[in-house]
Amino acid sequence: GDSVTQMEGPVTLSEEAFLTINCTYTATGYPSLFWYVQYPGEGLQLLLKATKADDKGSNKGFEATYRKETTSFHLEKGSVQVSDSAVYFCALGGNEKLTFGTGTRLTIIP
Amino acid sequence: NAGVMQNPRHLVRRRGQEARLRCSPMKGHSHVYWYRQLPEEGLKFMVYLQKENIIDESGMPKERFSAEFPKEGPSILRIQQVVRGDSAAYFCASSLGTGGTEAFFGQGTRLTVV
C-alpha cells in the first residue's frame, strides 16, 4: 500500500539557517504530494503541493519538488524564522485517502 | 465560506462513557477523513467516508469505535466505553474529491479520558 517516510525529528535550527526536511514515498500510480504544517494547538494547514513529476510547489519561502525518479518530495527553505517553528507533515494523495508521514517537529531559536 | 468545523474543541469523559465527536465539512465537500493524533506522535488514519458510505475503515479499532456521515448533518465519530488510551486529538478533514485532492482540516477535538 501507499506509505510516506519522513525525516525524524526533532530538528532545531538557528534563525536564518537553511532547512531541509526529507520525505520519500511508496505508491502505485501517480499520486499528488503535499506538505502540511501544524502550529501548536491547531489543525493542519496545507503549505504546498505538487500534482505531477517535476512540479515544484512553493509557499511562504518553502519549496518542494516532486521527484519521481527518487520518489522524494523534500521540503526546503533558504532562511528560516522563529515563526516557522511547527510540526511539518509530508503527505501522499493516491486514489483514495491521504497518507501522512509521522511529522517532523521544527524549532527555530533566535 | 466556513472551513471544516469540529465540535467540541475539548471533551472530557470518564472511563466507560461515550464520546461523540462532530465534524461539519466545508460546503460542497462530500469526502470526510478522520485522523487520530496521540501526544508527540504523527497522524494516524482512522476512516474515510463519503455521504452515507464508509469507503475505508482500515485504521479504525475493531471495537468501540464507529463513524458515520449521513446524508444530512455532520459526520460523527463515536467512541463507546472510553478508556484512558483513547485520550488524543481527533482531526477531521474534508475534500472535494479523492486522495489526490487537497484536504482541509478542522481544528480538532481534544479528548481527555479521566
Side-chain angles (χ1 to χ4, degrees):
Chain A
D2 295 349
S3 68
V4 175
T5 302
Q6 194 172 333
M7 174 179 174
E8 288 189 20
V11 174
T12 303
L13 294 172
S14 297
E15 204 166 19
E16 299 183 2
F18 184 86
L19 168 71
T20 300
I21 300 178
N22 290 338
C23 172
T24 57
Y25 66 91
T26 303
T28 54
Y30 304 96
S32 295
L33 299 172
F34 307 86
W35 277 99
Y36 282 81
V37 58
Q38 183 181 31
Y39 297 103
E42 298 186 10
L44 278 70
Q45 305 171 25
L46 180 68
L47 180 59
L48 53 84
K49 67 178 181 182
T51 57
K52 62 183 187 297
D54 299 326
D55 266 3
K56 178 187 282 188
S58 61
N59 185 25
K60 299 181 181 180
F62 291 89
E63 293 182 341
T65 301
Y66 189 161
R67 302 280 188 205
K68 194 167 186 296
E69 63 276 13
T70 54
T71 61
S72 65
F73 193 55
H74 304 322
L75 182 69
E76 296 182 335
K77 186 173 185 181
S79 177
V80 292
Q81 306 300 314
V82 172
S83 57
D84 294 327
S85 298
V87 182
Y88 293 80
F89 292 91
C90 184
L92 177 158
N95 289 330
E96 294 187 343
K97 64 181 182 283
L98 272 177
T99 300
F100 284 84
T102 52
T104 301
R105 181 175 299 278
L106 174 67
T107 302
I108 308 300
I109 53 178
Chain B
N1 185 15
V4 178
M5 303 300 292
Q6 287 189 251
N7 68 82
R9 289 291 306 276
H10 300 275
L11 181 62
V12 179
R13 284 287 177 265
R14 295 186 185 280
R15 281 178 294 171
Q17 291 185 319
E18 179 179 283
R20 281 194 176 210
L21 288 62
R22 294 176 185 77
C23 169
S24 295
M26 284 184 70
K27 187 175 181 180
H29 287 192
S30 58
H31 299 249
V32 165
Y33 310 80
W34 285 94
Y35 292 85
R36 176 163 64 176
Q37 185 176 37
L38 293 168
E40 303 302 317
E41 292 191 15
L43 282 174
K44 300 285 188 188
F45 168 77
M46 299 183 75
V47 62
Y48 163 40
L49 311 103
Q50 294 179 25
K51 285 284 188 182
E52 299 184 276
N53 287 305
I54 296 175
I55 307 301
D56 182 346
E57 56 181 348
S58 57
M60 289 275 273
K62 293 289 185 282
E63 297 177 350
R64 302 187 298 107
F65 285 72
S66 62
E68 63 178 13
F69 188 17
K71 188 176 179 182
E72 301 290 339
S75 176
I76 306 288
L77 179 68
R78 183 184 294 120
I79 311 172
Q80 296 178 301
Q81 299 176 307
V82 295
V83 301
R84 288 227 170 102
D86 297 332
S87 295
Y90 292 83
F91 289 97
C92 169
S94 74
S95 68
L96 273 173
T98 55
T101 311
E102 175 185 348
F104 294 82
F105 280 79
Q107 300 270 52
T109 293
R110 279 154 182 82
L111 172 66
T112 303
V113 180
V114 296

